[in-house]
Amino acid sequence: MRLIRSKGVGVFFVLGQLGNRVQHALRAFTPDDQKALRATVRTFPRSAYDLEELLTGLGTGEAVVTVLGESGAPTPVAATRLRAPESLMGPLDPAELDEAVRNSPLHDRYAQAVDRESAYERLTAAPVAAPPEVPRERPAKEEPTLVEQVVGSGMFKSLARSVGTQLGREITRSLFGTARRRR
């Protein structure tokens, strides 16, 4: 996450997605793998299944699934068989596409093209005369005082920023107990 965020990209998770857990087969060949398997089993809710045995015995297309229920608590673990998606890896035949569009419940609403008048068309159709501008007199600028000149200078702003940073750092150190490092 840090690497992504350092590039200015925000990452958002939908709370419902964080509660879904689908675990496919785990294989344990070494003692470290066994330890990782036991740690994974402990992260699941209690179940009637022997999850260590079940996770190592899952085949292709099988998984152990748990999701968050309506109350926000994890549902019981369920061993499931996942179905392959019913889709194509190529373009759809035009006749099949037309049939799917006609059978869509949204067909009646979106079948008729509507060409509404755009904002551009409205603005160019009837030009509206703008009210004449009334010239305003500008008040004469007063010369800044010496204090305003000093406070407005870049050097003063830099000094104030530096003092504020140092003061904030010292207050933070005193609150959290970190001593100032000596060189």
Side-chain angles (χ1 to χ4, degrees):
M1 288 296 232
R2 262 188 244 130
L3 178 63
I4 294 171
R5 293 202 60 229
S6 71
K7 304 300 180 209
V9 176
V11 178
F12 296 91
F13 293 102
V14 177
L15 187 57
Q17 292 172 334
L18 294 176
N20 297 344
R21 176 120 185 243
V22 177
Q23 180 67 58
H24 298 278
L26 291 175
R27 304 292 181 239
F29 298 109
T30 66
D32 288 339
D33 292 344
Q34 280 293 102
K35 187 176 176 183
L37 176 64
R38 280 192 215 98
T40 301
V41 168
R42 283 195 306 267
T43 62
F44 278 94
R46 297 211 183 273
S47 166
Y49 293 109
D50 179 9
L51 286 176
E52 272 191 57
E53 184 178 325
L54 181 63
L55 285 174
T56 56
L58 290 174
T60 303
E62 296 177 336
V64 172
V65 178
T66 180
V67 297
L68 288 182
E70 290 180 10
S71 64
T75 60
V77 175
T80 61
R81 179 172 279 279
L82 304 174
R83 290 182 53 196
E86 296 176 4
S87 61
L88 298 174
M89 292 301 291
L92 192 61
D93 182 39
E96 291 176 336
L97 178 63
D98 288 339
E99 182 183 343
V101 168
R102 278 192 306 276
N103 292 336
S104 169
L106 300 175
H107 181 265
D108 294 338
R109 180 176 177 145
Y110 294 108
Q112 299 297 325
V114 178
D115 184 23
R116 293 195 174 97
E117 187 178 22
S118 70
Y120 176 78
E121 292 169 339
R122 285 186 179 189
L123 290 173
T124 57
V128 178
E133 282 194 33
V134 178
R136 296 182 185 172
E137 291 184 28
R138 296 185 181 179
K141 257 190 167 177
E142 296 178 16
E143 279 295 315
T145 64
L146 181 61
V147 173
E148 290 173 337
Q149 287 177 355
V150 169
V151 170
S153 71
M155 184 182 291
F156 182 80
K157 289 179 183 177
S158 176
L159 176 68
R161 189 178 305 116
S162 176
V163 168
T165 302
Q166 189 66 28
L167 184 63
R169 189 178 295 133
E170 291 300 324
I171 290 172
T172 304
R173 285 180 179 154
S174 67
L175 288 175
F176 295 111
T178 57
R180 185 174 183 185
R181 293 181 183 164
R182 306 265 184 217
R183 292 186 181 174

